[in-house]
Amino acid sequence: MASSFARVLSSKRKVGILSLVGAGSLTVGFFLNREQHVNAGANVRRIYPPSAEYPDLRKHNNCMASHLTPAVYAKLCDKSTPNGYTLDEAIQTGVDNPGHPFIKTVGMVAGDEESYEVFADLFNPVIKERHNGYDPCTMKHPTDLDSSKIRGGNFDEKYVLSSRVRTGRSIRGLSLPPACTRAERREVERVVIDAVAGLKGDLAGKYYSLTLMTDQEQQQLIDDHFLFDKPVSPLLTCAGMARDWPDARGIWHNNEKTFLVWVNEEDHTRVISMEKGGNMKRVFERFCKGLLEVERLIQEKGWEFMWNEHLGYILTCPSNLGTGLRAGVHVTLPRLSKDPRFPKILDNLRLQKRGTGGVDTAAVGSTFDISNLDRLGQSEVQLVQTVIDGVNYLIECEKRLEKGQDIKIPAPISQFK
Amino acid sequence: MPFGNTHNNFKLNYSADEEYPELSKHNNHMAKALTKEIYAKLRDKQTPTGYTLDDVIQTGVDNPGHPFIMTVGCVAGDEESYEVFKELLDPIISDRHNGYKATDKHKTDLNFENLKGGDDLDPNYVLSSRVRTGRSIKGYALPPHNSRGERRAVEKLSVEALNSLDGEFKGKYYPLKSMTDAEQEQLIADHFLFDKPVSPLLLAAGMARDWPDARGIWHNENKTFLVWVNEEDHLRVISMQQGGNMKEVFKRFCVGLQRIEEIFKKHNHGFMWNEHLGFVLTCPSNLGTGLRGGVHVKLPKLSTHAKFEEILTRLRLQKRGTGGVDTASVGGVFDISNADRLGSSEVEQVQCVVDGVKLMIEMEKKLEKGESIDSMIPAQK
């Protein structure tokens, strides 16, 4: 469970809090006069009426296109966040990427924390559609990082090859990857490097900046499957997330290579806990411990993560709101994966399958990446438990099929608990 | 480009040093010219449409360049960019355009009658002739920066202008977003169709936003005069035909351009032009005439001669493969065109091509006979 200190901070305006916390960092002072330099809405240049600017979405299939009616566009098109982020910027990626008949992408991003508020008339229905009916206006999102609540979580390693939990965190007060300036991005890097440098014991590690890493370091990171590259997906490049690459991007990992932080890729940070084998419980324990420790370390310097009680942790893509958590395993299911009931079983267990290369890859042999479908509306503990229970069920099915026994499609589990 | 870097007022909370891009591994004109001092001086400025220094340089920051090929590394978002960011763009223009000075004047000459010869390039060697340029419509932001509304307005105005042409210029507009499969196949077969840019140089500058909205191709019935709308520039105008009659190609080019310009002027939206920079286009490399006049010519022997590159340089010409920029030649056939854009007129540049290609064909013929061409190598023009 996130510390109560964080909850107190997030309920106050940032200008007031930081003067209470005290200036541990040279950059804190900047917050106090940031808002005076900005004229919200001043940069929105409007020489044509909204109808002349409304994008042509007739051939589009993404969540943004489904909900951006001309009326919503007209209402929001001349608004901007305090940092100057506009609706046109938020939707650009969805305009440029019409989508796929089978895969419905989100089609919009946030440029900063305030985007979710200023453009709520568009974000809310998109969030509702993407997160299976979660209503940001009326519902509250539970955050729970108490790993002691997990039951089980030690998988049969005859089937489970590896276990992994990832999430993202954004630093409050700094713009997100689609909109950040170079200086802001460098600030994010500094804040994170500072914090992870304070990690000790099994979490002690080292930071590798993308601009400065040696060829040798690069090769090692590739061999460990840790290195991330400049985004090539047009979904990301059209949103401006690859600007100034590789400036202020980097990878931190602990010496044991079980806890990893990506800096300034698709989000300010992506935090990953992983291990070979089936000990998901330990992976999640390290995940929670590491996250809470990093949070404590940034708070010492007067920073905090973006979070609110309706949307949970604030990240760049609306699909990652809430927990931003994807907990999964690489599991071999040769018989079950060929059973025609496999997709329905996964669906009812609220799990999704991906290839072992991650999103948009195919499975190799019969090894799949199985992870939670949901992100928002359930806590971290709840989602990881869902994965544990679900994967156990899948392994049970596989074992039964091995013995020639029949399997059952489980009853669908409820989404919002 | 409507991204975070345009929020200038907010950015000023950080010092110039904190925002200055990391350019130590870069090799492009922008990286050479953008000192910390210039960055500090220009970072708080913006054009009337809101285009900022960071917008200008984004493509150069995102594309460090190549050890052999020096790209420009910056673009204009509107006509005023060249004025507001003068201190950065003037040295870049000078570097790219053979020392062109901030005080120099550029000569425009679209009088096709001033071209000497050009109707007699040997068709056994010259397969096709082509002249292209770009034009920007005054009063509208350029492709890196324009909104959907502006881009559509440029399209509307352009289509109106083009549809009013008659005679040899009578033609039809094919918008990219609504062309039929049959039309698309025909345009591909004619080598007319342009596609969404894939070059990171263009993508990083925001020129592919909202594709294919308000993009299209217009061409005349004879398929000898073609206009691209809202690709890298507001308009790209192309005159072309099989064979070596560059004189005819250039005449059609000049006449067509002048007819189109008249119509735009009537709507109070003439072309962007000034006496220092000539025609104003998105990329500084296309200032002046924006003209590339060239031929596809067979030079299998000359192209393998040790002095080929030097001959081209002295004739103020450049070679490309037959697929256009950044392609290789196929079967000894090269695309030979003028190297200059700014500081000489349209007539002068096409004259270089006509005279130069004529000379190179003579050289090729000599080499075919096994004779030396040493006495024919020209002095630097």
Side-chain angles (χ1 to χ4, degrees):
Chain A
M1 178 167 60
S3 77
S4 52
F5 183 45
R7 301 291 79 76
V8 165
L9 282 175
S10 60
S11 64
K12 295 190 182 163
R13 288 193 43 76
K14 46 192 177 278
V15 174
I17 315 152
L18 290 160
S19 54
L20 289 176
V21 169
S25 152
L26 288 169
T27 53
V28 168
F30 120 89
F31 281 108
L32 299 174
N33 55 24
R34 189 174 91 152
E35 312 220 354
Q36 293 158 14
H37 279 270
V38 176
N39 236 326
N43 285 317
V44 187
R45 179 173 140 255
R46 288 276 157 218
I47 43 180
Y48 293 91
S51 56
E53 295 285 3
Y54 182 73
D56 184 347
L57 302 171
R58 289 172 294 173
K59 294 194 184 128
H60 284 58
N61 181 41
N62 58 50
C63 297
M64 179 280 291
S66 299
H67 298 284
L68 185 69
T69 62
V72 171
Y73 184 78
K75 186 173 177 193
L76 300 177
C77 68
D78 58 358
K79 300 200 180 351
S80 69
T81 67
N83 301 350
Y85 198 66
T86 64
L87 178 73
D88 280 324
E89 293 172 74
I91 66 173
Q92 189 68 60
T93 180
V95 176
D96 288 347
N97 296 291
H100 194 273
F102 306 155
I103 302 166
K104 197 160 186 184
T105 45
V106 175
M108 67 187 300
V109 290
D112 50 26
E113 188 168 6
E114 295 83 351
S115 296
Y116 286 105
E117 191 56 53
V118 175
F119 307 118
D121 284 333
L122 180 59
F123 270 113
N124 286 351
V126 165
I127 289 167
K128 199 167 177 191
E129 182 183 343
R130 178 61 179 214
H131 295 281
N132 306 300
Y134 182 87
D135 187 348
C137 299
T138 56
M139 293 164 75
K140 295 220 168 89
H141 170 80
T143 292
D144 188 353
L145 285 161
D146 182 357
S147 58
S148 69
K149 293 179 180 162
I150 295 293
R151 298 176 317 274
N154 240 308
F155 299 121
D156 186 337
E157 292 188 355
K158 182 171 162 220
Y159 302 92
V160 173
L161 308 177
S162 61
S163 309
R164 178 184 189 266
V165 182
R166 70 86 160 150
T167 189
R169 290 289 187 265
S170 309
I171 311 297
R172 175 161 279 161
L174 295 167
S175 303
L176 296 170
C180 63
T181 70
R182 278 182 296 274
E184 283 187 293
R185 201 185 293 111
R186 291 162 180 171
E187 184 86 77
V188 169
E189 189 188 33
R190 260 197 304 274
V191 170
V192 176
I193 288 178
D194 214 21
V196 293
L199 292 172
K200 299 188 174 32
D202 65 327
L203 292 178
K206 185 176 168 187
Y207 182 70
Y208 302 88
S209 139
L210 249 59
T211 43
L212 302 171
M213 69 174 58
T214 65
D215 285 342
Q216 214 180 340
E217 287 169 337
Q218 186 174 292
Q219 195 52 55
Q220 187 60 55
L221 288 164
I222 291 172
D223 294 340
D224 291 329
H225 304 288
F226 284 174
L227 189 64
F228 64 86
D229 217 351
K230 180 172 178 173
V232 291
S233 163
L235 301 177
L236 302 180
T237 54
C238 290
M241 299 197 220
R243 286 172 303 127
D244 313 312
W245 201 276
D247 195 319
R249 272 83 169 192
I251 292 164
W252 176 94
H253 69 78
N254 66 348
N255 299 327
E256 297 176 13
K257 299 186 183 180
T258 54
F259 193 67
L260 172 65
V261 178
W262 288 357
V263 180
N264 286 318
E265 197 236 9
E266 283 184 50
D267 278 293
H268 283 173
T269 67
R270 283 287 177 95
V271 180
I272 302 148
S273 172
M274 58 204 261
E275 277 181 31
K276 288 258 180 258
N279 198 340
M280 178 62 93
K281 187 169 170 66
R282 189 167 62 202
V283 167
F284 187 56
E285 275 166 2
R286 184 181 309 109
F287 177 82
C288 294
K289 176 177 155 199
L291 264 177
L292 292 168
E293 186 59 13
V294 170
E295 186 165 21
R296 187 188 69 75
L297 288 161
I298 66 168
Q299 282 167 356
E300 270 182 357
K301 297 286 169 68
W303 298 93
E304 52 173 353
F305 291 141
M306 289 183 196
W307 182 94
N308 72 51
E309 60 178 0
H310 291 292
L311 297 179
Y313 288 101
I314 305 292
L315 293 176
T316 304
C317 181
S319 69
N320 282 320
L321 289 167
T323 59
L325 185 140
R326 196 171 88 83
V329 296
H330 282 189
V331 58
T332 316
L333 301 166
R335 286 167 192 73
L336 180 60
S337 57
K338 294 188 190 54
D339 192 298
R341 292 167 287 187
F342 185 43
K344 185 72 181 151
I345 293 172
L346 286 174
D347 219 39
N348 284 6
L349 292 172
R350 302 214 63 72
L351 297 174
Q352 70 172 189
K353 75 179 196 307
R354 297 181 181 192
T356 49
V359 68
D360 300 331
T361 65
V364 175
S366 33
T367 304
F368 292 86
D369 176 317
I370 303 286
S371 64
N372 52 297
L373 256 179
D374 304 315
R375 303 269 183 275
L376 176 63
Q378 289 189 68
S379 74
E380 290 81 354
V381 165
Q382 285 167 334
L383 291 175
V384 173
Q385 193 66 62
T386 298
V387 172
I388 289 171
D389 297 343
V391 170
N392 279 334
Y393 191 89
L394 296 175
I395 293 172
E396 274 313 303
C397 289
E398 183 69 24
K399 284 177 173 170
R400 288 178 71 86
L401 291 171
E402 277 171 23
K403 291 186 230 156
Q405 293 168 349
D406 196 20
I407 58 172
K408 269 215 263 281
I409 297 177
I413 62 178
S414 61
Q415 241 164 271
F416 303 124
K417 301 206 164 109
Chain B
M1 178 159 164
F3 284 143
N5 282 332
T6 60
H7 309 141
N8 241 17
N9 290 344
F10 166 62
K11 223 187 305 169
L12 296 177
N13 286 304
Y14 290 95
S15 72
D17 252 0
E18 286 170 325
E19 287 287 359
Y20 184 73
E22 164 53 55
L23 299 172
S24 56
K25 298 199 184 115
H26 284 56
N27 183 43
N28 58 50
H29 287 294
M30 181 281 292
K32 269 179 79 181
L34 186 72
T35 60
K36 282 195 177 172
E37 292 69 37
I38 292 182
Y39 185 77
K41 189 162 181 205
L42 296 178
R43 68 189 288 251
D44 61 351
K45 306 211 181 324
Q46 55 187 57
T47 67
T49 65
Y51 206 61
T52 67
L53 179 66
D54 282 312
D55 293 326
V56 170
I57 66 173
Q58 189 69 58
T59 180
V61 176
D62 288 349
N63 296 290
H66 194 274
F68 305 154
I69 303 168
M70 191 82 161
T71 46
V72 175
C74 63
V75 290
D78 50 23
E79 190 167 9
E80 295 81 356
S81 298
Y82 287 103
E83 192 53 50
V84 173
F85 305 112
K86 230 174 140 41
E87 260 165 273
L88 172 65
L89 295 175
D90 279 348
I92 291 174
I93 289 168
S94 180
D95 216 5
R96 178 66 177 209
H97 295 282
N98 308 303
Y100 193 76
K101 297 192 290 295
T103 49
D104 283 338
K105 301 258 187 288
H106 170 81
K107 197 172 23 163
T108 294
D109 183 359
L110 282 160
N111 191 342
F112 61 88
E113 278 161 2
N114 291 338
L115 182 70
K116 298 191 214 2
D119 53 353
D120 56 351
L121 296 174
D122 191 334
N124 292 315
Y125 294 85
V126 178
L127 308 176
S128 62
S129 309
R130 180 184 187 264
V131 181
R132 69 87 159 150
T133 188
R135 289 291 185 265
S136 307
I137 318 297
K138 209 169 167 63
Y140 296 102
L142 296 171
H145 188 48
N146 54 15
S147 69
R148 281 181 294 274
E150 280 188 294
R151 201 185 296 111
R152 290 163 179 170
V154 165
E155 185 191 36
K156 185 157 184 273
L157 196 52
S158 304
V159 172
E160 226 182 274
L162 293 166
N163 281 343
S164 68
L165 296 174
D166 60 6
E168 69 163 321
F169 295 106
K170 194 163 156 57
K172 185 179 167 180
Y173 182 67
Y174 302 87
L176 249 57
K177 70 177 177 183
S178 53
M179 66 175 58
T180 65
D181 285 342
E183 287 170 338
Q184 186 173 287
E185 271 171 47
Q186 186 58 57
L187 287 165
I188 290 172
D190 291 329
H191 304 287
F192 283 175
L193 188 65
F194 65 87
D195 215 350
K196 181 172 178 173
V198 293
S199 163
L201 301 177
L202 301 179
L203 298 177
M207 297 198 223
R209 287 171 303 127
D210 314 312
W211 201 275
D213 196 316
R215 272 84 169 189
I217 292 164
W218 179 96
H219 70 76
N220 66 351
E221 284 167 16
N222 300 338
K223 298 186 182 179
T224 53
F225 193 72
L226 171 67
V227 178
W228 290 353
V229 180
N230 286 319
E231 197 235 10
E232 282 184 51
D233 281 291
H234 284 166
L235 303 175
R236 281 289 176 94
V237 179
I238 303 149
S239 169
M240 59 204 263
Q241 63 194 51
Q242 299 295 316
N245 195 340
M246 182 60 98
K247 196 177 179 65
E248 201 170 79
V249 169
F250 187 57
K251 179 180 173 184
R252 187 184 311 113
F253 176 80
C254 294
V255 172
L257 265 176
Q258 276 157 349
R259 295 245 184 115
I260 299 171
E261 185 164 18
E262 270 159 33
I263 302 169
F264 277 104
K265 276 190 179 149
K266 274 207 210 117
H267 286 92
N268 291 318
H269 281 286
F271 295 144
M272 289 183 196
W273 180 93
N274 66 58
E275 59 174 6
H276 168 50
L277 297 177
F279 288 102
V280 175
L281 294 175
T282 304
C283 181
S285 68
N286 281 320
L287 291 167
T289 60
L291 185 143
R292 195 172 89 81
V295 297
H296 281 190
V297 58
K298 283 193 269 201
L299 299 169
K301 290 195 160 39
L302 183 61
S303 57
T304 52
H305 191 283
K307 294 244 164 79
F308 185 45
E309 299 286 341
E310 193 178 335
I311 291 168
L312 286 171
T313 306
R314 290 187 182 197
L315 292 174
R316 310 201 68 78
L317 299 175
Q318 69 174 194
K319 74 178 197 300
R320 298 182 183 191
T322 48
V325 68
D326 299 331
T327 64
S329 104
V330 176
V333 180
F334 285 84
D335 176 316
I336 303 288
S337 62
N338 53 299
D340 302 320
R341 305 269 185 275
L342 179 62
S344 50
S345 74
E346 288 81 355
V347 167
E348 284 168 344
Q349 288 167 9
V350 175
Q351 194 69 65
C352 270
V353 175
V354 161
D355 297 346
V357 168
K358 212 164 169 191
L359 179 63
M360 290 198 292
I361 292 173
E362 302 290 304
M363 289 178 169
E364 181 74 17
K365 287 175 174 171
K366 279 244 156 149
L367 291 171
E368 280 171 18
K369 288 187 246 169
E371 292 168 19
S372 153
I373 56 165
D374 289 343
S375 59
M376 296 172 77
I377 294 178
Q380 177 68 55
K381 287 187 79 168

